[in-house]
């Protein structure tokens, strides 16, 4: 059995190569873009440099020829690679099972309706395609004897994208995965300035400030890398404090592994109150300053 | 002038999903609804059509027979699309990305002269983010995901896309397929007039020409085990409620 790993980041390449080893006896890895394949993680390693003016998505045409003797493809769940692996699956008449939480004996578990359920699926035949995060394979360690990586020459597809510009996103530098205490702000914050109430609470207890997705996308008041939930961060802090968050499953799957969950919401019927340890029914504009003061 | 098709998934409303004691998901009482982020896709398509001028937006939905529902169809057409093409066929229930793309491509060929297909960021059920790219491959055209802004001039689509680490600007030759993020446009809230007008727009509902085989097999769908929580909830205005909350918080820190 041969597995093929596709990643954009070296770290993901290592983690997925380790996972691939749990599924297959032969592992090949390809990294697309500016990062390199780490040594000693696979039996064969390839690198695809993306030419000036081309988009990484189009690396699929370069990689396709390498899949002939492959049974399993595991790809990093980032947008470039999701389009690469989608193109490869299309070429092979297959579908990709994306964002797998785990893969065992070819059966992948992933979220269904944002965490309302979990769905277990497998490929009926042919090559099985998956995308999976670094954490999907527990503490599996990569092994192999690759030194460098073979540089593949770019094959341009018929319908190519033209890359005009690429600007790095300025990140906030906040890594909520490292916070023991997280305060999460939701749409209950009606004005951006009110976020200062949550920031004051964070300062008092040394918490990191996160949010629900609408505050990052749509409102744009918070950086994208701070929204919590199925399509954002999956956290497990000691303490999680939700303010003005209704408690939809898509958000809560990112928070329900927290030690103790606190919630503040003005609607006593908000679903969050069924998923918290301690809840206060009240207006956050009134309640948050009182909590901060009493601490 | 552009013909823009927006591909929409109709899904059971997750608010109506019941979980049985055994952890099974019961969707029998769930209303059919437009998958949340496809609302943003419809709006983005409508805004682009307006910006280009003299253009038309056609909504295209593929699913099981349950999606052929009058209120839902009006809801789709009340949001800026001029026409609806719906494949409501039990052979098309729960298709994977490859099979969905196959059926969509067949319908697009019948519609003809399509310049752009707009997809949402991901569907509420599986969020696979794969139909856009699979469809583009079927059509032999380019696809762009993560699109937060787009414009069209001549035969070129220019898209700004937000990726994990970078913002890219790319150009694709039309026709092509884009998947837009919810950031691109806030869905409109249809008024009574929009809904009444929607009822008079063309709705073309039919069955798929050929059954599309899915290549994935579903083994099980189950609700995850819920974490037990204390659920001690009190009114903030009650005497001592805030103090008790703060005490619990201090103890947990
Ligand atoms: C495919 C898909 C993926 C998604 N992924 C994510 C994800 O990863 N993360 C995520 O967060 N969401 C995600 N969502 C969106 C999710 O379904 C919810 O829409 C979102 O989490 C709601 O955010 P919210 O709780 O902040 O807002 P709302 O649901 O609008 O809730 C606001 C709450 O604030 C309360 N409130 C209002 N005013 C006050 C006040 N003054 N004081 C106190 N309380 C107040 C209200 O009672 C209400 O309960 C996803 C959705 C889909 C379809």
């Amino acid at each position: 059995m041969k597995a093929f790993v596709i990643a954009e980041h070296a770290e993901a390449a290592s983690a997925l190569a380790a996972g691939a080893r749990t599924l297959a006896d032969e592992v090949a890895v390809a990294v697309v873009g500016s990062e390199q394949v780490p040594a000693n993680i696979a039996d064969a390693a390839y690198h695809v440099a993306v030419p000036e003016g081309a988009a990484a998505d189009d690396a699929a045409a370069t990689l396709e020829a390498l899949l002939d003797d492959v049974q399993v493809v595991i790809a990093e769940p980032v947008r470039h690679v999701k389009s690469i692996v989608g193109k490869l699956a299309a070429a092979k008449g297959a579908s990709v099972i994306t964002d797998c939480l785990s893969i065992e004996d070819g059966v992948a578990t992933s979220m269904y309706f944002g965490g309302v359920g979990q769905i277990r699926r497998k490929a009926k035949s042919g090559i099985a395609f998956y995308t999976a995060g670094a954490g999907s394979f527990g503490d599996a360690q990569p092994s192999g004897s690759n030194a460098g990586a073979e540089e593949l020459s770019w094959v341009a597809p018929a319908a190519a994208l033209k890359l005009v510009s690429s600007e790095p996103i300025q990140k906030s530098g906040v890594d909520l995965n490292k916070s023991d205490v997280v305060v999460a702000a939701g749409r209950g914050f009606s004005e951006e300035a009110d976020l200062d109430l949550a920031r004051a609470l964070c300062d008092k207890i040394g918490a990191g400030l996160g949010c629900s997705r609408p505050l990052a996308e749509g409102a744009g008041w918070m950086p994208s890398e701070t929204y919590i939930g199925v399509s954002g961060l999956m956290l497990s802090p000691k303490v999680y404090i939700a303010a003005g968050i209704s408690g939809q499953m898509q958000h809560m799957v990112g928070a329900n592994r927290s030690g103790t969950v606190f919630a503040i919401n003005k609607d006593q019927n908000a679903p969050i109150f069924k998923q918290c340890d301690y809840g206060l029914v009240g207006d956050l504009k009134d309640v948050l300053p009182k909590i901060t003061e009493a601490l | 002038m552009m013909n823009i098709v927006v591909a929409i998934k109709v899904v059971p409303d997750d608010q109506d999903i019941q979980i049985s004691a055994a952890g099974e998901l019961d969707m029998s009482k769930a209303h059919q609804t437009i998958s949340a982020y496809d609302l943003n896709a419809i709006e983005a398509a409508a805004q682009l059509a307006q910006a280009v001028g003299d253009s038309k937006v056609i909504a295209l939905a593929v699913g099981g027979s349950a999606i052929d529902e009058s209120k839902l169809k009006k809801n789709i057409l009340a949001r800026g699309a001029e026409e609806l093409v719906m494949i409501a066929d039990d052979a098309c229930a729960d298709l994977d990305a490859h099979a969905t793309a196959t059926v969509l491509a067949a319908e697009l060929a019948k519609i003809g002269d399509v310049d752009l297909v707009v997809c949402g960021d991901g569907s509420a059920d599986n969020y696979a983010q794969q139909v856009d790219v699979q469809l583009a491959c079927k059509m032999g055209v380019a696809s762009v995901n993560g699109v937060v802004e787009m414009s069209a001039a001549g035969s070129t689509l220019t898209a700004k896309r937000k990726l994990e680490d970078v913002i890219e600007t790319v150009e694709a030759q039309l026709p092509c397929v884009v998947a837009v993020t919810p950031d691109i446009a806030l869905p409109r809230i249809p008024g009574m007039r929009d809904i009444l007008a929607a009822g008079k727009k063309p709705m073309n509902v039919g069955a798929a020409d050929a059954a599309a085989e899915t290549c994935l097999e579903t083994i099980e769908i189950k609700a995850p085990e819920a974490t037990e929580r204390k659920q001690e909830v009190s009114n903030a205005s009650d005497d001592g409620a805030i103090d008790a909350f703060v005490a619990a918080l201090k103890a947990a820190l």
Side-chain angles (χ1 to χ4, degrees), chain B:
Chain B
M1 206 207 104
M2 275 178 96
N3 282 326
I4 304 174
V5 170
V6 55
I8 293 168
K9 186 159 190 177
V10 178
V11 294
D13 188 341
D14 59 19
Q15 303 294 319
D16 304 333
I17 298 175
Q18 310 277 329
I19 312 249
S20 77
E24 251 104 57
L25 272 60
D26 174 8
M27 314 230 180
S28 59
K29 293 192 186 64
H31 293 97
Q32 298 293 321
T33 184
I34 306 169
S35 180
Y37 293 147
D38 292 351
L39 296 174
N40 305 70
I42 303 176
E43 187 61 40
Q47 289 182 9
L48 181 67
Q50 179 123 56
V52 172
D54 197 19
S55 297
K56 183 171 173 186
V57 176
I58 301 172
L60 173 58
V62 171
S65 58
I67 74 169
D68 182 8
E69 208 213 78
S70 152
K71 216 169 131 194
L72 174 93
K73 290 188 286 190
K74 278 191 215 157
N75 187 9
I76 295 173
L77 286 169
R79 296 170 175 277
E82 270 78 50
E83 194 181 320
L84 171 67
V85 177
M86 181 178 260
I87 301 301
D89 182 339
D90 284 337
C92 294
D94 294 318
L95 297 184
D96 60 14
H98 186 259
T100 305
T102 306
V103 179
L104 287 174
E107 291 310 311
L108 288 165
K110 281 196 251 168
I111 293 170
D113 273 339
V114 172
D115 298 297
L116 177 69
V117 181
V118 181
C119 300
D121 192 41
S123 62
D125 48 2
N126 286 315
Y127 215 73
Q129 305 184 298
Q130 290 289 307
V131 168
D132 51 333
V133 53
Q134 288 259 8
L135 176 60
C137 289
K138 277 265 175 242
M139 297 168 70
V141 302
S143 67
V144 192
N145 60 10
V147 174
V148 291
E149 253 175 63
M150 59 181 168
S151 60
S155 62
T156 307
L157 180 104
T158 303
K160 192 166 131 185
R161 61 200 300 224
K162 192 167 177 199
L163 307 178
E164 291 74 15
D165 310 318
V166 293
I167 307 266
E168 283 185 356
T169 302
V170 296
E171 286 176 6
Q173 287 309 300
L174 296 171
C176 67
V177 181
V178 293
V180 300
T181 77
D183 252 350
I184 193 166
L186 272 187
R188 68 188 66 178
I189 298 168
M192 209 52 216
R193 286 226 327 261
D194 302 313
I195 295 168
L196 286 175
K200 301 194 179 77
K201 291 180 178 176
M203 301 179 190
N204 183 347
V205 182
D209 290 340
E213 270 297 305
T214 64
C215 29
L216 300 178
E217 178 188 339
T218 298
I219 292 160
E220 185 189 51
I221 300 175
K222 264 217 140 113
E225 292 213 8
T227 320
E228 289 288 325
R229 295 287 173 195
K230 292 197 181 69
Q231 301 180 30
E232 290 180 15
V233 180
S234 48
N235 216 308
S237 54
D238 289 351
D239 263 353
I242 292 188
D243 288 339
F245 187 87
V246 167
L249 179 53
K250 274 187 181 155
L253 286 173

Side-chain angles (χ1 to χ4, degrees), chain A residues 8 12 16 21-22 32 34 43 62 74 88 91 94 109 121 125 185 204 225 233 236 244 267 278-279 288:
Chain A
E8 191 172 38
L16 298 185
R21 194 64 85 187
T22 67
V32 176
S34 57
D43 308 309
T62 307
I74 307 176
L88 293 171
T109 303
R121 285 174 296 176
S125 62
K204 195 79 173 241
E225 63 271 21
L233 298 169
S236 45
D267 174 9
Y278 300 96
L288 279 180

Side-chain angles (χ1 to χ4, degrees), chain A residues 275-287:
Chain A
Q275 304 169 75
C276 74
D277 295 293
Y278 300 96
L280 275 180
V281 182
D283 189 325
L284 60 88
K285 276 195 248 185
D286 170 49
V287 175

